[in-house]
Amino acid sequence: NAGVTQTPKFQVLKTGQSMTLQCAQDMNHEYMSWYRQDPGMGLRLIHYSVGAGITDQGEVPNGYNVSRSTTEDFPLRLLSAAPSQTSVYFCASSYSATGQQETQYFGPGTRLLVL
Amino acid sequence: KQEVTQIPAALSVPEGENLVLNCSFTDSAIYNLQWFRQDPGKGLTSLLLIQSSQREQTSGRLNASLDKSSGRSTLYIAASQPGDSATYLCAVTYGNNRLAFGKGNQVVVIP
């Protein structure tokens, strides 16, 4: 299993540009989510999904869009990049069985710099 | 809103000493608590997961306790080694497998 994969590893954008951060998992996990990590702020939830076709907002959703057309993929779209979106982005996935929440698996992260 | 706090933010210990990292959370309605390790510029690696019905979990030199009623967890690392130098993150799982993270304990083990 490849686990959780993210592409690209690093990206530089200009203000106003759009882009999509890719996230894929091969563990047949129902739950997927996106977090951003900023110095002094910790990791904060952007959007999450409880299954294909179902998404919802997290703590800091403004400026981001998501969709979940398949179980495996959960892309994060930046609509019009702003310097405040400079961050490290992590995708995570997990499985829930019999009501117990299982270990969350994280991808390696995407470092985004918006100029 | 769930708030997770980790104390201390940073600490240095000599090699061989035991490490004690503390985590507190404000809402006891959690599914579980996870401890992660993060090396500089890297992703998160899960170390231990404690279900809300459990009191502790152990893996090798690592032991984590959970007191849900008081909103506290402690991660113990026995006989620390320089390779244990990293940032340790505490996170609680709440509805729909969402995580609320603390800001981390940055640990340096001095040889």
Side-chain angles (χ1 to χ4, degrees), chain B residues 23-95:
Chain B
C23 171
S24 61
F25 48 96
T26 54
D27 188 346
S28 62
I30 63 170
Y31 290 108
N32 61 44
L33 184 145
Q34 248 179 294
W35 282 94
F36 293 90
R37 171 185 171 134
Q38 186 176 31
D39 293 295
K42 303 293 185 184
L44 281 69
T45 301
S46 179
L47 297 174
L48 289 168
L49 179 146
I50 313 174
Q51 299 291 353
S52 62
S53 58
Q54 295 176 319
R55 298 283 294 182
E56 67 176 340
Q57 211 34 271
T58 298
S59 176
R61 294 185 294 113
L62 277 60
N63 173 275
S65 65
L66 174 64
D67 184 342
K68 204 174 82 157
S69 61
S70 67
R72 292 180 186 177
S73 177
T74 302
L75 178 67
Y76 299 89
I77 303 177
S80 61
Q81 303 168 359
D84 295 328
S85 298
T87 296
Y88 293 84
L89 298 167
C90 167
V92 296
T93 304
Y94 59 107

Side-chain angles (χ1 to χ4, degrees), chain A residues 31 35 37 40-43 45 48 50 59 90 94-96 99-104 106-108 111, chain B residues 1 31-32 34 36 38 40-44 46 49 51 53 89 93-94 96-99 101-103:
Chain A
Y31 297 87
Y35 295 84
Q37 185 176 33
M41 300 293 292
L43 281 98
L45 180 64
Y48 66 99
V50 301
E59 187 184 352
F90 289 101
S94 61
Y95 178 71
S96 176
Q100 282 202 331
Q101 313 299 321
E102 302 293 337
T103 298
Q104 300 249 4
F106 279 77
R111 293 181 178 275
Chain B
K1 181 189 170 190
Y31 290 108
N32 61 44
Q34 248 179 294
F36 293 90
Q38 186 176 31
K42 303 293 185 184
L44 281 69
S46 179
L49 179 146
Q51 299 291 353
S53 58
L89 298 167
T93 304
Y94 59 107
N96 289 323
N97 265 16
R98 291 171 290 174
L99 291 173
F101 281 89
K103 293 180 182 177

Side-chain angles (χ1 to χ4, degrees), chain A residues 18 31 38 59 67 89 93 99 102-103:
Chain A
S18 62
Y31 297 87
D38 303 292
E59 187 184 352
S67 60
Y89 292 84
S93 75
E102 302 293 337
T103 298

Side-chain angles (χ1 to χ4, degrees), chain A residues 28-49:
Chain A
N28 201 31
H29 283 170
E30 302 164 311
Y31 297 87
M32 296 186 75
S33 48
W34 278 100
Y35 295 84
R36 60 177 288 174
Q37 185 176 33
D38 303 292
M41 300 293 292
L43 281 98
R44 293 177 292 168
L45 180 64
I46 304 171
H47 284 285
Y48 66 99
S49 169

